[in-house]
Amino acid sequence: MKNLLQKSLKQLTIFAFIVFALSVPSYFFLVDWIWLKELDENNELIAQRIENEFNEQNISDVELAESIRFWNEIQPVSRIEYVQQPLARDSRYTIRRQNPYTTGEAIDRFRGLKTNIKINNRNYVLVIETNVEETEETVVYIAVVTLLFFLILVVGFWVLNRRLSKKLWQPFQDTLEKLKSFQLNSQEQIKFQKTDTIEFAELNATLDKLLQHSVVIYRNQKEFTENASHELQTPLAILKNKVDILLQSDDLTERQYHIAEEMNKALIRISRINKNLLLLAKIENNQFDNSELIGFDILLLQCMDDLQEHIKEKEIDVSSDIHSNVEVKGNRSLIEALINNLLINAIRHTSQRKSIRITLSKSGFKIANSGKEALNPDLLFRRFSRMSADNSGSGLGLSIVQEICRLQSWTVQYSFENNRHTFLVRF
Amino acid sequence: MKILIIEDEKELVKSIVEYLSKEDYLCEVALTFTEAMYKIDMFDYDCILLDITLPGGSGLKILEELKKKNKQDGVIIISAKNSLDDKVKGLQIGADDYLTKPFHLSELNARIYSIIRRKQYSNTNIIKLNELEINLLSKNVFVNNEVVALTKKEFNLLIYFIGNKNRVLSKSTLAEHLSGDFADMFDNYDFVYAHVKNLKRKLSNAGYEQHIKTVYGTGYKWEE
């Protein structure tokens, strides 16, 4: 993954490279063209000067022939030759040949001019050749300079990019950080940083609206659960009491008694579910004092003792490794609920004569019970998502465990190791 | 014995009155805060059942008023608010017990029984039933002055039976009483059967006449 500016940097660098690469031949042709044009002008000037100089000498033809011979001897780059007929027109050319003035192998490029001159009214052809810079050398110089500028540009981009991504994107990073740490059930308001970038301001405003909406919906839903379970308590109490009275009737048949007892059982379950829903709502609303110092080990032993008869009844082999003086800060009844829910869960789902292992240390609390196959950890902690055919529980036990852990800033994890369902609470 | 029921839910009041009238209790009812304040001011009761949320004011205020007037009435808070703060606060102000709705009438009955005994025999805290003697404070049980060793749960059961004499107590009701919050978390209520069996055995071994009868196959009754 690359960040946004890095991505654009790559594109820009490629584009810049292409432009610079194309500029090299363009510059070369331009420079070469200027070179040749200037040299042609220069050659013409020299030709005029030679013509004038010779004419101004006013010497005889014999002397002239001698002078030209001598001239040609000492100036091989500008030869003068006598011709009967003048050239139809001047010619300009470029040749490569050995430089007569340098020793060793040195092929140079020359620009030549072949033109007619008149000395003492006789026609001569003058050839002037001037050294021109080599093509290869020009190309290399231009390429080196271009590359240098290209490197300056890329380094500049890179440096600017780093500074920009820090500065320009800072509000965005801030928003991102806040969104990452936001939790719908934490009751905390999210406050975005003020920014003068239109895009970010718009983003923040939209996110804010979205979040507010979610918070309101979440709160309504929570309130509904809480209110509903609260309102249910009185009718439940009435029902329960009416069944109690029914059970006391003198003329009750055994069949009627059993029907009433089944109603009673169902009512106990509804009451339990209702109570747990209320408990969940209260934990979510942070309505518990969380500052008491509690001996986790003592509480755990107490809970184990309370459940002893159920353990005995199923002949479950319980082994435990409980460190003493494990103190935690929290709410006594919630910690008790957490321990009880996990213990009861283990006892209920352990078959006859199987085993449960309980481990407590300063870093965490682990409870593992024998089982056959792994359960889906995503569904396990969800409300009312039962994992087994046995549905006598309220279906809320593990949700409550999870909520209590959230409140305590602990984590609870499920794993299936060595044929054991293992729940680990990390303090 | 006089009992005042301060509760705004009429159906609930009706059931409580009906259940309690079988005992030797005289029940009076206050449906509102003002009515309750008037009644506690005018009369004395052996036990007051007090709802916290009332039309016109909080039940906790009534409790404060009782304590201010230094009244000796026993008070059981019956509240739909299962909030621990309320429970702690209520008991701190001076309530004797706290029951969360919904509750079983037998549970309420047993608690009223205990409170009235405690108030009546506050210096001894001993319940006597023929040869049976129960010390509520030390939690010891004697038959013909000999100690009967009962477990915590068996003792608990015995008190519950005695507080609900001649009442049918179903297995699920007893299970809820014994296990409190997690009675329904287990598949069966067989542990109730085991506890009742043990209690019966221990009492008859000590030479006490058998009062616990099985009714309708799965229920129990302390007959006297």
Side-chain angles (χ1 to χ4, degrees):
Chain A
M1 293 276 271
K2 285 181 187 145
N3 71 38
L4 200 60
L5 279 175
Q6 266 178 346
K7 277 186 183 166
S8 57
L9 180 66
K10 194 180 160 196
Q11 307 291 326
L12 282 174
T13 309
I14 292 171
F15 180 68
F17 182 77
I18 292 170
V19 169
F20 277 100
L22 284 175
S23 76
V24 173
S26 313
Y27 278 130
F28 163 70
F29 285 121
L30 187 69
V31 167
D32 209 46
W33 181 72
I34 293 170
W35 258 117
L36 296 180
K37 205 172 150 244
E38 286 301 311
L39 282 177
D40 284 347
E41 257 173 49
N42 185 41
N43 284 349
E44 264 164 45
L45 280 173
I46 291 171
Q48 273 174 18
R49 211 179 63 223
I50 291 171
E51 191 179 19
N52 284 344
E53 291 293 324
F54 272 100
N55 281 327
E56 275 170 17
Q57 297 299 314
N58 285 325
I59 47 170
S60 65
D61 288 350
V62 181
E63 268 177 313
L64 179 70
E66 183 62 21
S67 295
I68 289 172
R69 198 190 55 81
F70 182 65
W71 172 273
N72 283 347
E73 197 72 33
I74 61 163
Q75 292 264 39
V77 290
S78 52
R79 280 167 287 117
I80 305 170
E81 276 162 22
Y82 172 73
V83 284
Q84 208 71 43
Q85 282 293 317
L87 293 169
R89 54 188 178 90
D90 296 349
S91 79
R92 295 177 178 81
Y93 60 90
T94 309
I95 58 158
R96 300 165 66 86
R97 61 170 167 80
Q98 177 74 31
N99 190 337
Y101 301 113
T102 52
T103 51
E105 277 293 302
I107 302 290
D108 278 320
R109 194 161 68 122
F110 292 87
R111 181 67 176 172
L113 173 69
K114 214 173 180 180
T115 185
N116 297 309
I117 51 169
K118 269 188 171 178
I119 307 169
N120 291 355
N121 284 323
R122 292 172 66 165
N123 286 323
Y124 289 88
V125 169
L126 174 65
V127 178
I128 299 169
E129 287 178 353
T130 315
N131 190 306
V132 196
E133 192 58 48
E134 255 97 318
T135 328
E136 296 86 1
E137 283 172 23
T138 317
V139 170
V140 169
Y141 291 143
I142 290 173
V144 166
V145 171
T146 307
L147 187 72
L148 191 72
F149 276 106
F150 174 71
L151 287 177
I152 291 172
L153 195 73
V154 169
V155 170
F157 271 171
W158 190 70
V159 170
L160 273 175
N161 220 349
R162 298 241 330 200
R163 289 183 51 189
L164 279 179
S165 57
K166 269 199 191 129
K167 228 171 141 184
L168 264 184
W169 289 90
Q170 194 275 332
F172 181 77
Q173 297 290 357
D174 181 77
T175 303
L176 202 64
E177 280 309 308
K178 279 179 181 154
L179 281 180
K180 271 186 199 162
S181 60
F182 178 72
Q183 275 183 319
L184 201 52
N185 53 6
S186 71
Q187 321 244 322
E188 265 168 44
Q189 282 280 346
I190 204 161
K191 201 100 190 118
F192 292 119
Q193 200 181 50
K194 272 223 164 84
T195 164
D196 55 2
T197 312
I198 295 171
E199 286 86 348
F200 294 150
E202 237 171 78
L203 176 74
N204 285 353
T206 315
L207 280 174
D208 200 48
K209 212 168 129 193
L210 197 73
L211 286 176
Q212 290 300 337
H213 188 61
S214 306
V215 166
V216 168
I217 288 177
Y218 181 76
R219 198 181 295 147
N220 284 349
Q221 189 195 332
K222 220 167 57 179
E223 270 173 16
F224 172 77
T225 319
E226 195 180 356
N227 291 343
S229 26
H230 201 84
E231 288 305 313
L232 275 173
Q233 272 181 320
T234 305
L236 270 175
I238 294 169
L239 257 176
K240 213 169 177 179
N241 292 354
K242 296 294 175 198
V243 173
D244 284 339
I245 289 171
L246 187 65
L247 282 175
Q248 306 308 322
S249 314
D250 295 328
D251 48 2
L252 201 65
T253 66
E254 188 161 336
R255 197 179 125 70
Q256 285 166 340
Y257 168 85
H258 285 296
I259 292 171
E261 170 74 339
E262 289 311 315
M263 284 164 67
N264 206 4
K265 281 184 191 166
L267 274 170
I268 291 172
R269 252 185 78 196
I270 301 177
S271 311
R272 172 84 192 157
I273 291 171
N274 208 39
K275 236 177 175 175
N276 280 337
L277 280 175
L278 264 176
L279 179 66
L280 268 175
K282 268 182 197 148
I283 299 170
E284 280 173 353
N285 291 337
N286 296 329
Q287 285 174 3
F288 285 94
D289 172 40
N290 230 6
S291 55
E292 202 184 338
L293 206 60
I294 299 148
F296 198 103
D297 49 321
I298 300 166
L299 210 56
L300 175 58
L301 290 171
Q302 227 171 61
C303 293
M304 282 167 71
D305 194 48
D306 287 341
L307 289 165
Q308 206 55 48
E309 60 185 319
H310 300 285
I311 294 168
K312 265 190 199 149
E313 193 190 302
K314 284 183 121 175
E315 295 172 67
I316 294 170
D317 167 37
V318 176
S319 57
S320 59
D321 175 19
I322 298 170
H323 288 211
S324 51
N325 296 322
V326 178
E327 283 194 325
V328 293
K329 217 174 195 184
N331 182 289
R332 179 171 296 273
S333 52
L334 287 187
I335 306 284
E336 203 177 330
L338 175 120
I339 297 172
N340 273 331
N341 282 347
L342 284 175
L343 280 175
I344 289 169
N345 193 57
I347 296 169
R348 264 180 56 198
H349 298 292
T350 305
S351 318
Q352 287 274 340
R353 281 186 284 278
K354 293 285 178 182
S355 66
I356 294 178
R357 269 189 215 155
I358 299 166
T359 324
L360 175 70
S361 69
K362 292 246 188 292
S363 63
F365 169 52
K366 193 161 106 176
I367 180 158
N369 68 296
S370 320
K372 286 199 180 71
E373 53 189 14
L375 303 168
N376 184 345
D378 294 331
L379 292 175
L380 204 57
F381 292 100
R382 265 214 232 147
R383 294 177 188 194
F384 301 117
S385 67
R386 290 197 173 80
M387 289 287 146
S388 62
D390 155 32
N391 59 357
S392 59
S394 70
L396 292 168
L398 288 175
S399 310
I400 291 175
V401 168
Q402 198 182 35
E403 272 306 309
I404 293 173
C405 284
R406 189 191 60 75
L407 188 76
Q408 294 281 72
S409 311
W410 298 346
T411 55
V412 58
Q413 262 178 345
Y414 166 80
S415 58
F416 190 70
E417 303 161 353
N418 308 326
N419 279 331
R420 282 171 183 281
H421 301 292
T422 308
F423 288 89
L424 173 64
V425 177
R426 280 209 186 88
F427 300 153
Chain B
M1 245 158 300
K2 269 169 76 183
I3 294 179
L4 176 64
I5 304 161
I6 305 171
E7 161 70 63
D8 60 327
E9 192 60 47
K10 278 183 193 144
E11 273 309 315
L12 219 55
V13 171
K14 233 168 89 184
S15 307
I16 295 173
V17 171
E18 190 180 340
Y19 198 90
L20 295 185
S21 60
K22 268 201 185 174
E23 311 282 334
D24 193 14
Y25 299 138
L26 185 71
C27 293
E28 275 189 38
V29 177
L31 290 168
T32 62
F33 179 80
T34 349
E35 204 182 338
M37 286 301 250
Y38 169 77
K39 284 199 167 157
I40 60 158
D41 193 36
M42 298 297 288
F43 313 104
D44 287 327
Y45 298 92
D46 295 287
C47 188
I48 296 173
L49 308 180
L50 179 62
D51 188 11
I52 300 268
T53 39
L54 287 170
S58 162
L60 289 174
K61 271 211 181 112
I62 299 175
L63 187 60
E64 277 164 11
E65 189 66 25
L66 274 168
K67 294 300 144 188
K68 223 191 279 172
K69 291 197 168 126
N70 213 9
K71 293 226 176 193
Q72 295 305 306
D73 316 27
V75 177
I76 299 175
I77 293 174
I78 42 170
S79 173
K81 272 195 186 168
N82 182 23
S83 140
L84 239 107
D85 290 344
D86 267 3
K87 183 170 181 174
V88 171
K89 211 168 160 191
L91 295 177
Q92 263 171 4
I93 296 173
D96 296 274
D97 214 338
Y98 189 102
L99 255 183
T100 310
K101 285 181 201 167
F103 49 79
H104 281 296
L105 287 172
S106 49
E107 186 73 47
L108 178 70
N109 197 21
R111 303 231 185 163
I112 293 172
Y113 180 85
S114 295
I115 282 172
I116 290 176
R117 276 331 123 209
R118 217 153 65 202
K119 295 278 168 194
Q120 274 181 342
Y121 314 104
S122 51
N123 36 0
T124 55
N125 260 322
I126 284 172
I127 299 171
K128 270 191 168 183
L129 287 167
N130 307 324
E131 319 86 275
L132 184 68
E133 203 177 291
I134 304 166
N135 188 326
L136 289 174
L137 211 64
S138 65
K139 303 207 162 158
N140 282 327
V141 179
F142 302 90
V143 175
N144 296 322
N145 294 322
E146 275 195 40
V147 177
V148 183
L150 295 183
T151 63
K152 219 166 97 186
K153 293 240 156 101
E154 286 156 8
F155 181 83
N156 217 338
L157 259 182
L158 178 64
I159 301 294
Y160 202 64
F161 273 122
I162 288 170
N164 285 292
K165 277 178 223 151
N166 298 316
R167 304 275 190 181
V168 174
L169 297 174
S170 73
K171 203 151 105 177
S172 59
T173 312
L174 287 175
E176 210 184 355
H177 173 73
L178 285 179
S179 302
D181 273 352
F182 29 87
D184 63 314
M185 298 298 274
F186 297 97
D187 315 340
N188 61 53
Y189 298 126
D190 287 348
F191 66 97
V192 173
Y193 172 74
H195 286 302
V196 175
K197 203 178 85 183
N198 288 340
L199 177 64
K200 275 164 87 171
R201 182 173 48 79
K202 284 180 181 175
L203 286 179
S204 59
N205 282 356
Y208 191 62
E209 189 195 341
Q210 197 53 263
H211 291 282
I212 303 171
K213 300 274 151 63
T214 307
V215 286
Y216 305 117
T218 61
Y220 299 98
K221 196 185 209 174
W222 182 282
E223 276 183 354
E224 221 162 66

